[in-house]
Amino acid sequence: MHLTALSAGFEAPRSRFNGVIHSVFDQACNIRVDDGRLLALLAPCLGNVPHGARIALPAGFGFARHLAVGGRVGCRADVLRLPGLSIDLGTAQPWRGDLAAAAVDLRVPQVARAWRTAWRMLEQHPRRGNTQLAALSRTVDRRAFRLARATRHLRLHEAARAIEALIGCGPGLTPSGDDLIVGFLAGLWSTAGDDPAQRAFRRTLCAAVATAAGATGDISRTYLTHATGGRFAEPLATLAARIADGAPVDEIGRASATALRVGHSSGSDGVLGLLLGLAAWSPPGGRQELEMPADG
C-alpha cells in the first residue's frame, strides 16, 4: 500500500534514515530513527507535532492493523518504507509550531477574557476517570502550582526542584507531569517578551528541563526537548495563539476543546500547564490567581 504525507513538522526526520517501529496505535505510529530521534506518523484528524508527519489514510485504516512494534523501516529520497507500506514524505507541506512570537499580554482585556474562557473550559473537563488517577491528578496539580509561584518570583532553584518532582510523574507514554511541563513552557515562550530577567529565567529553566528529561520515556523526552526550543504540538500552539489574539469566546472554546481532547489526560495536563505559564508573569493588578488546589 502506498500513502502520501499531508504535512510535516520541521523536526521530522526526512530524506534518508533507518529505524525501527517504536510504538503503534490506531491513529499514530512512532518510529525510532537509528540516530535516536523519533518520527511520529499521524492520522489526518490529529494535529501536527514538531517531529511528526500527518498521513493521508484510506477510510477505516488503522496503523495498529498493519504495523507491529520492532519492525524495521528505511527512508530513501523521502520515501519511507515500512512492512507492507510505503509513504511519500516528499508531498508533505512544512509546518512550524514556534511560539516565541505569540506575545500574550494579560493586561489587554480581550486577552484576559480569552484566558478566563480557556480556564473555564479546563475546569469543566473531566481530567481523570477513577479515584486512583484523580489522586495522582491532584499531586501533579500541587506541584504545578508550586512551579508557577516559583516562576512568578523568578526563584530558579525552587522552580528546578518542582520540575524534578514533575518529570515522569504519572503513568503512560507521556506522564501527566511531563505533559504539564510542556504546556508550562509553552506559556513562558508566549509571554517572556523582551524582559531580560524573564528571558534568562526561561533559558535556565529550559536547561533544567533538558537535563531532567533524561529520567522519562522516549516520547515524553522528545516533546520536552522540542518545548525547550519553543516548539509545540499544534493544538497547544493554536490555543496559545488564539489567547494572544484575544479571540472571541467561541473560537477560544473550539481551540480549548481541541487541545483538551488530546490523549486520555495529556490534553488537560498540557492546557493546565499552558494557562499557568501564561499567568505566571502577568503584571500586578492583572495577574490571574494561582491558588493551590484543595486536597480531597
Side-chain angles (χ1 to χ4, degrees), residues 224-293:
L224 288 163
T225 299
H226 291 317
T228 63
R231 300 179 296 276
F232 301 90
E234 186 173 10
L236 205 59
T238 298
L239 178 56
R242 294 293 178 272
I243 294 173
D245 293 340
V249 170
D250 58 343
E251 289 188 27
I252 295 296
R254 287 193 294 272
S256 298
T258 298
L260 288 166
R261 281 197 300 267
V262 174
H264 294 293
S265 63
S266 293
S268 57
D269 292 318
V271 170
L272 174 60
L274 171 68
L275 297 178
L276 291 179
L278 292 177
W281 287 330
S282 58
R287 177 177 291 145
Q288 309 301 322
E289 289 298 321
L290 298 176
E291 296 297 333
M292 182 74 70

Side-chain angles (χ1 to χ4, degrees), residues 1-63:
M1 182 184 300
H2 182 71
L3 306 173
T4 58
L6 300 170
S7 57
F10 270 73
E11 302 299 320
R14 299 275 293 275
S15 187
R16 182 184 180 90
F17 62 83
N18 295 313
V20 63
I21 297 173
H22 173 280
S23 49
V24 186
F25 310 92
D26 192 49
Q27 295 186 328
C29 171
N30 292 296
I31 294 170
R32 184 205 292 273
V33 180
D34 284 350
D35 64 8
R37 292 177 296 165
L38 285 185
L39 168 64
L41 305 178
L42 305 170
C45 60
L46 301 181
N48 288 288
V49 300
H51 60 289
R54 291 170 58 249
I55 311 301
L57 301 176
F61 181 95
F63 286 105

Side-chain angles (χ1 to χ4, degrees), residues 78-106:
D78 279 344
V79 177
L80 175 62
R81 301 191 183 280
L82 308 95
L85 293 175
S86 66
I87 301 175
D88 186 353
L89 299 176
T91 60
Q93 294 296 311
W95 177 83
R96 301 191 72 96
D98 300 340
L99 275 181
V104 173
D105 187 349
L106 290 177

Side-chain angles (χ1 to χ4, degrees), residues 55-139:
I55 311 301
L57 301 176
F61 181 95
F63 286 105
R65 302 174 204 168
H66 295 268
L67 301 172
V69 172
R72 293 293 303 178
V73 308
C75 185
R76 301 292 184 274
D78 279 344
V79 177
L80 175 62
R81 301 191 183 280
L82 308 95
L85 293 175
S86 66
I87 301 175
D88 186 353
L89 299 176
T91 60
Q93 294 296 311
W95 177 83
R96 301 191 72 96
D98 300 340
L99 275 181
V104 173
D105 187 349
L106 290 177
R107 295 171 298 184
V108 178
Q110 297 94 324
V111 177
R113 181 206 62 213
W115 187 97
R116 290 193 297 270
T117 299
W119 187 267
R120 285 195 297 271
M121 292 285 293
L122 174 65
E123 288 183 320
Q124 296 165 8
H125 183 76
R127 294 187 64 205
R128 306 293 191 277
N130 61 57
T131 303
Q132 181 179 1
L133 291 182
L136 173 61
S137 173
R138 290 194 297 272
T139 297

Side-chain angles (χ1 to χ4, degrees), residues 166-186:
L166 282 165
I167 285 285
C169 183
L173 293 173
T174 59
S176 291
D178 299 355
D179 293 326
L180 194 141
I181 292 170
V182 169
F184 190 77
L185 291 183

